[in-house]
């Protein structure tokens, strides 16, 4: 069991707010797959624009979401109510609203609490409902038509104002899902913490643009949209960036973190926890490859915990933070790349890096000059037989 903001979770797995959590049938699937929790599809009192899912997908890289069908409040309340009655999932309810209308935020939160939600997840992340409608035209990010999402999450005062209202309104925990589209997420997370937020949720969701057809006037390759907006990025290309966001928040606040962004394997989930997350979220990987992704992650994490002799996920949360230093505190350790000649097949991949003078293929084997080795580690990454490793000298 994991205690997150006073709510008990049977494991760290939360299925992230998305089409995976937009209807009751999917919540049932999420539970069957082994998830402990879901974050329901984003709810508005009235959504600012309707549309079916439109996204650009590049396997092994990411998906850029231009828009998705959100839920109006009635649909969302029904979903939460049924979700609580028909599953034993813990439910985060993902809501957003015009950031200048506090009554609207309070109404959304109160209604979802009454419907049975376990936690409020205030959406200050979605780039589609703010950044892409305003910034692209060069307009001010804050306007009277601001629809929440990432625009709100860029403004520490607004975050604080909304968190305070939510905290005054509901008894269930208030978690803020913050946009990564800021200079320092530590600042916005701190604003949420100081205002009384119980937790914070992190995802890639960087505003991004898709590949275009270079033989067709630069038209975006995906066909079911008449153009493109700065969409929200999900998937493996965001993973390392999300580690950084989570670790930054873990260092700068005491907020318990729900960490997601590009988590495809159970090892990814464990790493996210080691960078500071208490719970993890998954979306794109399950949208690409099915519910079995979640099952494998849950089983894999549990097996890992047993094998490593950990009795509680809190024992791994933030373990890697001890290695996080400012760059001025880093010391380069002396060392160089070395070759295991038995394993080397002389393919020459390691000889290619354009910046390197250290590696040569001699008699069909890699030979490395320690004096010339810069220590970049690229040859180790390129080697198909794992014949190269970085040697650390005393
Ligand atoms: C199609 C799609 C729709 C999404 N809709 C929402 C949403 O309604 N609310 C929200 O907070 N996040 C939404 N997200 C973001 C996900 O919840 C998740 O945080 C993000 O995709 C990062 O995780 P991933 O890399 O595992 O996909 C959506 C993502 C996708 C792919």
């Amino acid at each position: 069991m994991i205690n997150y903001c006073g709510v008990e979770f049977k494991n760290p797995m939360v299925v992230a707010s998305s089409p995976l959590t937009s209807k009751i049938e999917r919540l049932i699937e999420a539970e069957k797959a082994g998830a402990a929790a879901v974050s329901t599809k984003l709810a508005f009192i009235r959504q600012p624009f309707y549309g079916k899912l439109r996204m650009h997908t590049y396997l092994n890289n990411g998906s850029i979401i231009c828009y998705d069908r959100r839920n109006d409040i009635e649909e969302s309340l029904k979903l939460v109510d049924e979700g609580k009655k028909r599953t034993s999932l813990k439910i985060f309810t993902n809501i957003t609203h015009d950031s200048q209308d506090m009554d609207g935020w309070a109404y959304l939160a109160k209604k979802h609490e009454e419907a049975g939600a376990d936690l409020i997840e205030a959406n200050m992340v979605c780039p589609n409902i703010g950044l892409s409608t305003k910034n692209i035209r060069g307009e001010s990010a804050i306007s009277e038509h601001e629809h929440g999402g990432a625009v709100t999450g860029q403004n520490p005062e607004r975050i604080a104002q909304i968190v305070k209202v939510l905290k005054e309104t509901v008894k269930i925990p208030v978690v803020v899902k913050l946009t990564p589209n800021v200079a320092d997420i530590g600042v916005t997370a701190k604003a949420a913490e100081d205002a009384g937020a119980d937790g914070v949720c992190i995802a890639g969701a960087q505003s991004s643009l898709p590949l275009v057809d270079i033989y067709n006037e630069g038209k975006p390759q995906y066909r079911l949209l008449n153009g493109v907006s700065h969409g929200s990025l999900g998937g493996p290309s965001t993973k390392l960036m999300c580690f950084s966001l989570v670790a930054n928040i873990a260092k700068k606040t005491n907020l318990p973190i729900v960490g997601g962004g590009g988590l495809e394997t159970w090892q990814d989930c464990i790493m996210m926890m080691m960078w500071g997350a208490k719970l993890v979220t998954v979306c794109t990987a399950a949208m690409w490859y099915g519910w079995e992704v979640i099952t494998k992650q849950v089983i894999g994490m549990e097996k890992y915990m047993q094998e490593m002799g950990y009795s509680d996920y809190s024992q791994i949360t933030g373990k890697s933070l001890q290695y996080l230093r400012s760059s001025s505190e880093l010391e380069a350790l002396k060392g160089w790349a070395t070759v295991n000649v038995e394993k080397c097949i002389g393919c020459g991949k390691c000889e290619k890096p354009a910046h390197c003078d250290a590696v040569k293929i001699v008699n069909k084997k890699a030979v490395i000059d320690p004096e010339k080795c810069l220590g970049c580690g690229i040859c180790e990454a390129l080697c198909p037989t794992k014949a190269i490793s970085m040697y650390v000298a005393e």
Side-chain angles (χ1 to χ4, degrees):
M1 281 289 173
I2 299 170
N3 186 302
Y4 182 83
C5 300
V7 181
E8 296 285 330
F9 292 74
K10 68 177 179 184
N11 63 47
M13 180 57 65
V14 184
V15 178
S17 177
S18 67
L20 295 169
T21 62
S22 59
K23 49 186 191 180
I24 183 63
E25 292 77 8
R26 298 254 154 70
L27 301 196
I28 292 168
E29 289 293 329
E31 178 165 47
K32 272 198 227 152
V38 291
S39 166
T40 49
K41 179 65 201 171
L42 175 59
F44 287 91
I45 293 176
R46 285 285 165 266
Q47 49 187 309
F49 49 85
Y50 291 82
K52 284 189 181 171
L53 180 58
R54 293 291 182 266
M55 60 195 275
H56 308 248
T57 288
Y58 314 110
L59 288 187
N60 303 320
N61 191 326
S63 287
I64 300 177
I65 302 101
C66 285
Y67 52 79
D68 186 13
R69 172 83 173 70
R70 285 97 184 198
N71 284 336
D72 287 329
I73 189 167
E74 298 81 9
E75 297 165 288
S76 183
L77 295 176
K78 187 161 176 266
L79 179 62
V80 171
D81 177 57
E82 284 193 57
K84 288 312 294 180
K85 287 183 179 141
R86 296 179 60 186
T87 74
S88 58
L89 292 164
K90 299 294 169 180
I91 297 187
F92 291 79
T93 188
N94 188 263
I95 59 170
T96 204
H97 189 68
D98 184 324
S99 67
Q100 295 174 48
D101 175 16
M102 294 304 129
D103 291 347
W105 276 99
Y107 178 74
L108 266 167
K110 189 77 204 149
K111 284 287 177 192
H112 281 92
E113 180 180 49
E114 285 166 8
D118 297 286
L119 306 97
I120 298 292
E121 186 175 75
N123 182 320
M124 303 191 187
V125 64
C126 180
N128 313 127
I129 46 171
L131 291 183
S132 52
T133 52
K134 303 279 165 35
N135 288 2
I136 196 170
R137 297 189 205 119
E139 292 171 7
S140 153
I142 299 296
S143 85
E144 54 188 306
H145 301 298
E146 187 188 320
H147 296 300
V151 177
T152 314
Q154 290 182 328
N155 183 331
E157 290 82 38
R158 275 280 193 267
I159 295 170
Q161 196 184 5
I162 293 166
V163 167
K164 279 183 191 151
V165 167
L166 295 177
K167 284 299 292 176
E168 282 160 14
T169 308
V170 292
K171 293 199 176 61
I172 56 176
V174 172
V175 176
V176 181
K177 188 169 179 183
L178 285 175
T179 176
N181 287 293
V182 287
D184 182 355
I185 199 137
V187 172
T188 44
K190 190 80 179 65
E193 181 177 44
D194 292 346
D198 299 281
V200 67
C201 177
I202 285 304
Q206 279 281 356
S207 63
S208 308
L209 288 175
L211 302 180
V212 295
D213 184 347
I214 59 170
Y215 299 107
N216 189 12
E217 305 283 328
K219 197 175 174 184
Q221 293 173 6
Y222 174 76
R223 288 167 185 269
L224 299 189
L225 274 169
N226 62 344
V228 62
S229 64
H230 291 271
S232 170
L233 186 63
S237 58
T238 69
K239 179 175 70 183
L240 305 183
M241 179 193 76
C242 291
F243 288 164
S244 160
L245 295 169
V246 166
N248 191 352
I249 295 174
K251 280 277 185 184
K252 292 189 181 148
T253 74
N254 290 314
L255 289 172
I257 304 166
V258 184
L263 306 182
E264 294 190 297
T265 63
W266 66 262
Q267 291 93 333
D268 292 339
C269 299
I270 296 287
M271 287 188 221
M272 182 55 96
M273 285 187 269
M274 288 191 162
W275 280 121
K278 259 192 134 170
L279 300 174
V280 294
T281 67
V282 175
C283 173
T284 301
M287 285 184 69
W288 286 357
Y289 305 118
W291 290 109
E292 65 200 72
V293 168
I294 306 275
T295 308
K296 283 186 190 152
Q297 287 169 326
V298 170
I299 292 173
M301 282 191 282
E302 278 165 11
K303 244 173 116 185
Y304 165 84
M305 294 295 286
Q306 277 165 18
E307 280 169 14
M308 295 298 290
Y310 295 123
S311 53
D312 192 320
Y313 282 100
S314 64
Q315 292 171 296
I316 62 165
T317 305
K319 240 184 188 320
S320 298
L321 293 171
Q322 60 184 310
Y323 302 104
L324 183 60
R325 308 197 159 90
S326 70
S327 47
S328 59
E329 289 168 334
L330 283 180
E331 272 172 41
L333 305 179
K334 196 170 171 208
W336 49 84
T338 56
V339 185
N340 177 337
V341 282
E342 310 273 283
K343 288 189 183 171
C344 176
I345 54 170
C347 67
K349 285 199 164 89
C350 53
E351 208 183 17
K352 300 268 185 199
H355 63 291
C356 175
D357 301 321
V359 188
K360 293 277 169 287
I361 301 294
V362 181
N363 297 330
K364 298 196 177 147
K365 295 285 174 190
V367 176
I368 296 170
D369 180 343
E371 290 301 317
K372 289 187 179 161
C373 176
L374 298 174
C376 66
I378 294 173
C379 56
E380 182 183 34
L382 288 170
C383 181
T385 59
K386 301 204 183 312
I388 299 183
S389 57
M390 301 306 288
Y391 166 73
V392 184
E394 283 309 308

